[in-house]
Amino acid sequence: MAGVGGTRERWGAARGRVREVACDESGSDGENLLGGNTDVFAHASVALPVDVAAECVREIRHRIRSPAEEYKANHLLREKHRAVLVWLLAAGGPIHGRAHVHLTEKAFLVVDRAVGLLLGDPADAVSLYRQGPEVFEADAWREFLVAANALLRVRPGGQRDTGGDAAPAAGYAPCAAREGSPLAGEAPDAAGEAPDAPEDAFFATVDALVRAAPGSEAAGILRRLAAHRHLAEAYRTRMRAAPALFPVLNPLFPALRYTAAHWSADGRPVVLVHDRQNALTPGRIARIVQSARRDGIELHGLRLVDSRDDARVQIADFLAGIARRIASDELAGTGDRELTACLRPYVAAGSVWGDARSWARLAPAGENPGRAAEINSGV
């Protein structure tokens, strides 16, 4: 494609000016990380000139030839369009070297944040997350994850946390509260708060796991969590009284900060152009920019647009959906070697990922996943 092939010249001509980077996400369930539709959150960013991105979208439409007015990642992920997907991601393709994806494994983010609140040691979070599924029964471990999500997800003023609005996808339902389970509490009271508070449910699951495998390293970490219940109670009291501007479990905010740091690492100022997102309120945008600049990240603005009006954001939308699906398949042990290899150059080394096996396939060579960057996270 001649137009997209001229990208390098136009890319070079833009150097020295503020770099506009288009962004979009896939897999957002807010703070409902264990009861939503997806197990991976992907935030993609693309640094292409507007005209080049428009040419790329036209070429994708030409190759796929679907009558749909708006193309999404699912069009590219269909097996019959595999060649188009490989062309888009491959070395020498239209976005290679000009796009980036920050991945978040949602279940690991929950453990990372819970351990961060109670112990403050990220190494403990990694150890617990990797050992938990092997040491404990699957249902018991899942209950712990769900209870940790509920512990950290606080509604202001004591409103009951219903687990979010999204209906879980088939095969990814939240753990049912079995008879005798710490999560099987009584009905909520008139104020909407369940009599068995999230603190009680969480520490009951911790105690149950410790008793199930008392001699394990994972149980030792859990015992230390149990010793810091006062920190959990103080956190929930604080969040009810004055909720944090950036909810601790929403992966979008740390991903934005990481994206700005990545694209401004060469010292060139960056403006992020993001698809409209209800979570990105004017107050949050102002704080994101302010805190980034304070920490030496050359983020000069964050602007919201309708993806239908900006081809660059459409490309970011494609990439986010593609990356989420490929990463989720790897996490489930059903990955496609060719597609994972195509995605790997785009994946951020600072992605928030706990599963060792899938990360070995997804990560840039020699890199380890990072913790979510914190912006007034509440922890």
Side-chain angles (χ1 to χ4, degrees):
M1 184 171 76
V4 173
T7 298
R8 297 184 187 281
E9 289 73 17
R10 276 169 282 182
W11 174 268
R15 292 187 184 279
R17 302 197 299 271
V18 172
R19 173 183 287 139
E20 283 201 347
V21 177
C23 306
D24 205 352
E25 51 77 23
S26 180
S28 177
D29 289 308
E31 293 183 279
N32 185 25
L33 301 185
L34 272 299
N37 292 308
T38 61
D39 51 5
V40 173
F41 174 84
H43 187 267
S45 52
V46 175
L48 288 173
V50 174
D51 59 337
V52 174
E55 291 170 7
C56 185
V57 171
R58 284 194 293 270
E59 181 66 13
I60 290 171
R61 295 185 70 92
H62 173 73
R63 293 184 182 218
I64 289 180
R65 297 186 181 278
S66 168
E69 290 188 10
E70 185 178 7
Y71 276 36
K72 305 296 286 185
N74 283 341
H75 288 91
L76 289 154
L77 287 163
R78 292 170 186 165
E79 184 59 32
K80 64 181 179 180
H81 300 314
R82 184 187 186 92
V84 185
L85 175 55
V86 171
W87 163 80
L88 179 68
L89 297 179
I95 65 172
H96 194 267
R98 303 172 189 88
H100 201 60
V101 183
H102 185 274
L103 298 173
T104 300
E105 183 186 355
K106 292 181 179 181
F108 175 65
L109 179 60
V110 170
V111 174
D112 180 77
R113 292 304 205 194
V115 172
L117 169 64
L118 299 175
L119 299 182
D121 188 343
D124 284 331
V126 174
S127 296
L128 178 60
Y129 186 75
R130 291 181 177 174
Q131 294 175 34
E134 298 179 1
V135 173
F136 308 113
E137 291 185 359
D139 285 349
W141 177 246
R142 177 73 179 175
E143 283 188 1
F144 167 76
L145 295 176
V146 171
N149 197 153
L151 177 75
L152 295 170
R153 190 172 185 228
V154 184
R155 296 299 194 186
Q159 297 177 33
R160 188 184 179 209
D161 186 350
T162 61
D165 300 324
Y172 196 72
C175 179
R178 305 188 308 272
E179 183 179 354
S181 160
L183 298 181
E186 301 173 16
D189 61 23
E193 183 71 44
D196 292 338
E199 301 98 299
D200 295 332
F202 174 75
F203 287 101
T205 62
V206 168
D207 180 64
L209 291 181
V210 169
R211 286 186 283 106
S216 65
E217 181 183 348
I221 296 173
L222 291 171
R223 285 192 190 92
R224 289 193 287 126
L225 293 182
H228 292 87
R229 176 171 178 146
H230 63 286
L231 295 178
E233 293 173 345
Y235 161 77
R236 291 187 60 82
T237 299
R238 189 168 68 249
M239 291 301 103
R240 286 194 191 97
L245 183 60
F246 299 97
V248 65
L249 288 177
N250 193 318
L252 173 62
F253 307 121
L256 280 167
R257 182 181 175 90
Y258 183 93
T259 297
H262 170 78
W263 287 107
S264 64
D266 60 359
R268 184 172 169 187
V270 166
V271 170
L272 301 183
V273 181
H274 205 287
D275 189 25
R276 294 194 183 279
Q277 164 67 252
N278 290 338
L280 291 175
T281 62
R284 284 172 173 163
I285 289 174
R287 182 69 67 83
I288 288 169
V289 173
Q290 179 187 49
S291 71
R293 297 292 297 277
R294 180 197 65 208
D295 295 338
I297 299 171
E298 289 294 325
L299 176 59
H300 283 215
L302 196 167
R303 188 172 78 252
L304 302 182
V305 301
D306 189 322
S307 63
R308 293 170 294 186
D309 299 330
D310 194 315
R312 300 170 301 175
V313 177
Q314 292 175 40
I315 298 296
D317 177 55
F318 294 159
L319 182 57
I322 290 164
R324 182 187 61 77
R325 173 75 69 81
I326 293 173
S328 185
D329 287 347
E330 281 296 344
L331 188 59
T334 59
D336 182 305
R337 286 182 177 272
E338 181 185 26
L339 297 184
T340 300
C342 286
L343 178 66
R344 194 174 188 184
Y346 298 92
V347 175
S351 294
V352 181
W353 204 267
D355 182 69
R357 179 196 53 76
S358 56
W359 183 249
R361 293 182 179 275
L362 290 165
E367 298 290 352
N368 293 315
R371 299 186 75 217
E374 299 195 19
I375 312 173
N376 184 28
S377 68
V379 170

